[in-house]
Amino acid sequence: MKEIRIQGGKGLFGEIDIQGAKNSILPVLAATILCGGECVIHNCPNLSDVDTSVRILRNLGCSCSVEGNTVTVNSRDINCCEIPDDLMREMRSSIVFLGAILARCGKAVLSSPGGCELGPRPIDLHLSSLKRMGVSIKEEHGMLSCTCESRIKGETINLCFPSVGATENIILAAATADGITTINNAAKEPEISDLADFLNSAGARIYGAGSDTIVIHGVEKLHGTNHSIIPDRIVAATYMAAAVMNGGEIKLKNVMPSNMVSLLWAFNECGCKTEVNCRSITVKSNGELKRIPTVRSLVYPGFPTDAGPILISMLSISKGTSVFVENIFESRYKYIDELKRFGAKIKTEGKVAVIEGVRKLSAANVRCTDLRGGAALVLAGLVAEGETKISEIHHIERGYDDIVGTLSSVGAIISQE
Ligand code: UD1
């Protein structure tokens, strides 16, 4: 069993190059299915979720090669429209392959993704939207069998909630559909714009990504292309938190600060000093952080749910009491019991967490319960006195490209056994 060990209490100083965004690369890899030619994707992070996506693509008949941070996918010879159950279970977000497989093959078979560490994650919005676009869907024995007699039909879709995954699936289904698709109340996350940029560079006609109305003019077919993935704003926030919790100074390179406005707000509220340039952020503090009375997770451009655990870890050593309200996922607080093992004083009830800042944390043996919760434990371990051991780190490997090497490079005493 792999584990991370940390000797806490070291100030962190230096520069970190921020990896490409997990939530961009996954839909972009799904989108390569539509292209029917060679797609070269740069700035691809080395993550277990990327490995799983590559295995899904190979299983469909695509040729894929991974060299450093470049992935090349050629979907010319796709010969299968099914995602095996074990790959679906490994990565819940493989549901984003549905729209692309359907559009390319006219058929898709996959197992229902079911629940995950963050609570139930229904896909009703994905399915009802695809149905409106002419797809017939049968759900039997946990399997989804989707077919489309002819080309998918362009439609107007009014989402009752701006789901990121549903918006992506509709875009993927609509890019080569017959006619125009309009998505009202679409998700506005920067990763949606990255997917649209990728598809447009492959010949799609997608307008308005990043706003709440996206219009997609279906084209006959797409072609191969080159694309570079945008930086990961949640990973950037994680390393910023590592710096300020330990009274250090870190310059993040290859970031897009314009995508991080609500995150930068939170760091400034905590009393950290930030210097923002076009592609870099320098953050520093003397380790004395202030509370934030209330923070609510919201859809973009609001405070991201994925950064909730990172902020809560930070607030656990801030002066005073803070409140965090989780509005996106039902049970996102599983990691908090682990955070309390460091001596953090946090109470949760439903969607609310009340964090009473303590002066210091002490080392603990803890277990990751999910990806960002795992990152929160690493942050606590970095500041805690003594040696922390963190197990079940496969959760962290889903979203962080070499977190141990990166933190070591700025002075953390951290290793992986
Ligand atoms: C994506 C991100 C995830 C992030 C989330 C919210 C990826 C790979 N993952 O997840 O990191 O935390 O956006 O920013 O990009 N919902 C329904 N029915 C649906 C779809 C969603 O009820 O058909 C609900 C979900 O249960 C959840 C909320 O809507 O409560 C948000 O989900 P959604 O925006 O779809 O998130 P994901 O695409 O799963």
Side-chain angles (χ1 to χ4, degrees):
M1 268 299 225
K2 286 194 289 187
E3 64 177 18
I4 289 177
R5 292 187 185 191
I6 308 172
Q7 197 70 46
K10 279 277 283 170
L12 305 184
F13 295 89
E15 294 187 349
I16 294 178
D17 248 318
I18 296 300
Q19 68 182 64
K22 171 179 90 71
N23 289 353
S24 272
I25 184 68
L26 302 182
V28 165
L29 286 173
T32 62
I33 293 172
L34 296 172
C35 299
E38 187 175 89
C39 297
V40 183
I41 302 156
H42 303 286
N43 203 30
C44 172
N46 181 6
L47 307 172
S48 58
D49 273 7
V50 170
D51 295 343
T52 307
S53 303
V54 165
R55 276 157 55 216
I56 290 175
L57 289 168
R58 286 192 176 132
N59 197 69
L60 296 170
C62 300
S63 68
C64 305
S65 69
V66 183
E67 274 173 54
N69 293 108
T70 300
V71 183
T72 306
V73 182
N74 193 328
S75 62
R76 194 191 55 200
D77 299 326
I78 278 193
N79 53 20
C80 166
C81 60
E82 197 168 330
I83 304 183
D85 191 44
D86 54 330
L87 292 176
M88 266 322 275
R89 280 177 199 272
E90 245 173 72
M91 190 178 73
R92 192 208 162 272
S93 40
S94 12
I95 191 66
V96 78
F97 281 84
L98 177 59
I101 299 177
L102 259 172
R104 177 75 196 276
C105 310
K107 192 173 176 213
V109 181
L110 38 89
S111 57
S112 288
C116 75
E117 316 84 56
L118 311 183
R121 279 175 96 164
I123 52 165
D124 52 315
L125 301 175
H126 302 238
L127 300 186
S128 59
S129 310
L130 291 172
K131 277 183 189 159
R132 273 187 72 83
M133 299 171 85
V135 176
S136 40
I137 300 176
K138 268 201 270 172
E139 284 185 84
E140 273 174 352
H141 312 297
M143 292 301 286
L144 284 173
S145 190
C146 309
T147 43
C148 195
E149 293 284 290
S150 50
R151 256 170 96 189
I152 290 176
K153 286 197 319 269
E155 255 299 346
T156 296
I157 313 262
N158 301 312
L159 288 175
C160 60
F161 175 84
S163 154
V164 173
T167 303
E168 290 165 349
N169 250 329
I170 300 165
I171 292 176
L172 290 166
T176 55
D178 184 11
I180 298 175
T181 299
T182 302
I183 313 175
N184 292 317
N185 199 23
K188 300 191 286 249
E189 270 66 3
E191 294 76 20
I192 302 271
S193 307
D194 203 25
L195 172 64
D197 288 346
F198 168 80
L199 286 166
N200 285 342
S201 75
R205 292 173 60 204
I206 302 168
Y207 307 97
S211 77
D212 53 15
T213 305
I214 302 179
V215 179
I216 304 134
H217 291 248
V219 296
E220 283 280 332
K221 58 184 202 166
L222 302 182
H223 50 74
T225 185
N226 280 1
H227 182 76
S228 188
I229 295 295
I230 60 167
D232 195 308
R233 58 202 166 100
I234 308 299
V235 170
T238 309
Y239 292 132
M240 284 171 77
V244 300
M245 287 170 76
N246 289 285
E249 177 170 343
I250 286 182
K251 179 175 185 182
L252 305 178
K253 295 191 303 184
N254 185 29
V255 283
M256 287 171 85
S258 55
N259 292 343
M260 295 178 61
V261 172
S262 60
L263 291 162
L264 287 164
W265 165 84
F267 281 92
N268 288 327
E269 285 292 293
C270 284
C272 312
K273 299 239 173 334
T274 52
E275 190 188 307
V276 177
N277 288 308
C278 166
R279 296 285 293 183
S280 72
I281 298 175
T282 304
V283 65
K284 67 175 167 184
S285 96
N286 58 7
E288 285 179 19
L289 302 173
K290 292 195 288 194
R291 75 178 189 127
I292 310 183
T294 312
V295 186
R296 294 180 174 82
S297 65
L298 293 168
V299 297
Y300 190 84
F303 190 86
T305 172
D306 289 349
I310 289 144
L311 183 63
I312 287 178
S313 200
M314 238 170 99
L315 294 173
S316 73
I317 53 154
S318 303
K319 198 165 179 213
T321 299
S322 311
V323 174
F324 190 89
V325 185
E326 171 52 48
N327 285 314
I328 308 293
F329 288 107
E330 264 178 42
S331 47
R332 211 169 178 161
Y333 288 144
K334 289 192 183 133
Y335 66 95
I336 284 193
D337 279 340
E338 302 296 309
L339 213 45
K340 286 190 200 164
R341 290 173 177 245
F342 291 94
K345 283 197 179 164
I346 307 172
K347 286 199 179 111
T348 57
E349 195 177 318
K351 46 164 75 172
V352 178
V354 179
I355 308 116
E356 193 186 322
V358 294
R359 283 182 66 81
K360 55 181 188 179
L361 299 179
S362 44
N365 286 348
V366 290
R367 182 180 66 83
C368 297
T369 55
D370 63 273
L371 164 57
R372 304 300 169 190
L377 301 180
V378 171
L379 293 174
L382 287 170
V383 81
E385 273 175 15
E387 192 188 50
T388 287
K389 291 181 190 165
I390 306 176
S391 62
E392 311 258 348
I393 59 172
H394 58 276
H395 289 291
I396 298 178
E397 290 169 345
R398 288 189 40 229
Y400 291 84
D401 184 343
D402 192 16
I403 195 169
V404 168
T406 306
L407 287 167
S408 300
S409 74
V410 289
I413 304 180
I414 180 169
S415 61
Q416 190 171 313
E417 310 282 323

